[in-house]
Amino acid sequence: MFDIQRAALHDGPGIRTVVFLKGCFLRCEWCHNPESWDPEPQTTVQPDSSGECHTFGREMKVEEVMRIVLRDRAYYDLSGGGLTLSGGEPTFQFEFCRALLAAAREAGIHTCLDTSGHNSREAFAELLPLVDLFLFDYKITNSQAHLRWTGAGNELILANLDFLYRSGAQIVLRCPILPGINDNQEHFKAIAALSKKYPRLRGIELLPYHDTGRYKFASLGMDASLLPVSVPGEEEQSKYRQELASLGVHLLFPA
Ligand code: SF4
């Protein structure tokens, strides 16, 4: 586990506690959480402003995490919030992920799984009864480009999306928009096609690129990629929304 954020407002409905687990199957070049990649604890090589190096990651038991999660139950009840598992890819540590979701379910806490969708169908089938809402990433339409930018094609991800939808899962599709990589008509049309193919989606969420990951790559001594990506301003973001709206896409949380 490399972070626990309480009172989070952007990773699922209501007020939530977000638990970030280490480990990920993908290597997205724009990743803003590269401290998640190594499943083991990882210490920065550059001190922060206080002159200290920081270690990302520590082992915790499910009960320890749940003690923190349960502190905010009153806020969940008031706001329709709950627990969100994120990462990294939270299903990378499958046993822990399943055990934490089960503990939250047992305690009557609403659960969200923020996932890249890149794991086996069996893994998602097992988690399905424990997840109230999937926050499911849809990154790049062309599988070759997906491979180029994330380290894997998108066939497995799309198959898992289809499986979860047809199994009755509640899903919000989360679409990171990366200027020069996927801010194109092919991708927007594919998002529109998915929203028509899966009309019961709870929503489509745009996640405009931000570059907070860059300093993390450097501080961890990892190679920061020279992404041909600029942070989209308000004007560009508005253009994304307009283009998608013209294609009939309903946005749940317009950025
Ligand atoms: S799936 Fe998420 S955590 Fe994993 S590399 Fe991509 S952006 Fe980073």
Side-chain angles (χ1 to χ4, degrees):
M1 188 281 304
F2 68 92
D3 200 6
I4 295 180
Q5 291 178 2
R6 294 170 65 193
L9 297 172
H10 301 294
D11 288 305
I15 297 170
R16 313 192 68 84
T17 296
V18 185
V19 177
F20 294 84
L21 300 183
K22 269 179 143 300
C24 189
F25 298 108
L26 301 182
R27 293 291 180 264
C28 306
E29 289 201 21
W30 61 82
C31 184
H32 58 272
N33 285 340
E35 73 272 39
S36 69
W37 288 5
D38 186 340
E40 298 297 326
Q42 197 178 6
T43 301
T44 54
V45 295
Q46 291 174 2
D48 61 19
S49 52
S50 64
E52 301 287 319
C53 284
H54 180 78
T55 297
F56 290 103
R58 64 189 173 112
E59 288 190 5
M60 289 182 79
K61 293 183 189 306
V62 166
E63 307 82 66
E64 291 175 84
V65 177
M66 280 306 295
R67 272 200 290 277
I68 295 171
V69 170
L70 287 169
R71 283 181 202 159
D72 292 336
R73 181 195 278 279
Y75 295 107
Y76 311 148
D77 291 347
L78 273 173
S79 68
L83 167 69
T84 297
L85 263 63
S86 185
E89 167 52 48
T91 67
F92 186 96
Q93 297 191 56
F94 183 77
E95 300 297 332
F96 186 89
C97 177
R98 184 180 53 188
L100 186 53
L101 289 168
R105 176 55 59 92
E106 175 81 20
I109 305 281
H110 181 274
T111 57
C112 280
L113 186 71
D114 179 17
T115 178
S116 66
H118 191 92
N119 202 336
S120 68
R121 171 176 297 201
E122 292 72 26
F124 285 106
E126 219 173 308
L127 297 179
L128 182 57
L130 302 172
V131 176
D132 292 307
L133 180 65
F134 288 85
L135 307 175
F136 196 103
D137 279 4
Y138 180 59
K139 299 179 194 299
I140 297 176
T141 296
N142 180 287
S143 188
Q144 281 303 313
H146 201 283
L147 175 65
R148 154 74 180 85
W149 292 107
T150 74
N154 63 9
E155 290 82 1
L156 177 64
I157 292 166
L158 287 170
N160 282 329
L161 176 62
D162 193 70
F163 164 72
L164 287 172
Y165 184 86
R166 291 184 197 290
S167 302
Q170 297 292 305
I171 303 169
V172 169
L173 204 63
R174 296 185 120 185
C175 305
I177 302 297
L178 306 144
I181 295 179
N182 68 1
D183 62 335
N184 53 55
Q185 274 294 306
E186 179 199 19
H187 189 55
F188 288 157
K189 281 182 180 166
I191 293 172
L194 286 176
S195 77
K196 289 192 179 76
K197 182 176 180 186
Y198 302 129
R200 202 175 37 72
L201 280 178
R202 285 276 301 276
I204 312 259
E205 186 177 5
L206 286 195
L207 305 175
Y209 172 69
H210 61 84
D211 61 358
T212 53
R214 285 195 187 210
Y215 91 92
K216 293 186 187 172
F217 275 99
S219 70
L220 289 161
M222 297 161 74
D223 267 346
S225 57
L226 294 171
L227 276 180
V229 172
S230 54
V231 176
E234 185 46 48
E235 202 175 314
E236 264 173 303
Q237 294 184 34
S238 163
K239 209 173 97 200
Y240 303 152
R241 291 195 291 272
Q242 282 169 16
E243 283 193 33
L244 283 164
S246 72
L247 294 166
V249 177
H250 165 70
L251 297 174
L252 180 67
F253 302 126

